[in-house]
Amino acid sequence: MNKDNIFQEYGDFVFRYLLALTNNHQIAEELTQETFYQAIKSINKFYDNGTVKFSTWLCSIAKNVWLQELNHDKKRKQLLESLSDMKPLTSNLEEEYFRKEDKVNFFKQAHQLSDKKREILYLRLLGNLSFKEIGSIVGETDNWARVTYYRAKKELREGVIKYEP
């Protein structure tokens, strides 16, 4: 498959497919671009053995890109709702002191973890990265990153820490 001609040949087809899914011209355009980016990135995984059409493969990528976008939208809405539901910050110095103490204790205990576990914990909590992204950063699988993260959380819970990620 020639990478240079993929967009010219299938761009309109994928765009119309995404437009039917999203009912939004601008979002369909953005998702079409992301679809072809993902397709070019993983074109070596497509095997032209005659069982699956290239257009079908592209549509499956487009659908996954669309589902990821829906998931991101859902998370954004949940975050906005949780931020709007938050109580206004009080000026109670005692409460503020205890919150800061909890953070300090959390980071003290996190510092006691092994380097890998601490790195995974920071990438997940502070970097807000997915396990797949974390795995690619540290050169491991997403499953390895997930297991390491949950083991680190377990070690923190077994300590005195009150923080619950």
Side-chain angles (χ1 to χ4, degrees), residues 109 153-161:
Q109 286 199 357
K153 273 181 43 175
K154 182 179 177 188
E155 285 183 33
L156 289 175
R157 278 193 199 116
E158 290 171 355
V160 184
I161 191 83

Side-chain angles (χ1 to χ4, degrees), residues 38-53:
Q38 295 297 333
I40 295 298
K41 240 174 57 172
S42 60
I43 195 143
N44 295 333
K45 295 179 183 175
F46 177 74
Y47 298 106
D48 193 8
N49 59 7
T51 59
V52 177
K53 287 180 163 181

Side-chain angles (χ1 to χ4, degrees), residues 137-148:
I137 289 171
V138 297
E140 298 286 348
T141 65
D142 56 340
N143 192 44
W144 179 90
R146 183 178 292 107
V147 168
T148 304

Side-chain angles (χ1 to χ4, degrees), residues 1 6 10 13-15 17-18 21-22 28 30-47 52-70 132:
M1 183 63 52
I6 293 174
Y10 296 99
F13 175 77
V14 171
F15 171 75
Y17 174 70
L18 286 167
L21 290 175
T22 63
E30 291 174 15
L31 295 179
T32 300
Q33 291 174 5
E34 181 64 20
T35 297
F36 281 94
Y37 170 74
Q38 295 297 333
I40 295 298
K41 240 174 57 172
S42 60
I43 195 143
N44 295 333
K45 295 179 183 175
F46 177 74
Y47 298 106
V52 177
K53 287 180 163 181
F54 190 72
S55 59
T56 304
W57 183 70
L58 284 174
C59 284
S60 68
I61 293 173
K63 181 180 176 186
N64 286 332
V65 167
W66 175 62
L67 291 173
Q68 286 174 346
E69 181 63 25
L70 289 177
K132 185 175 183 177

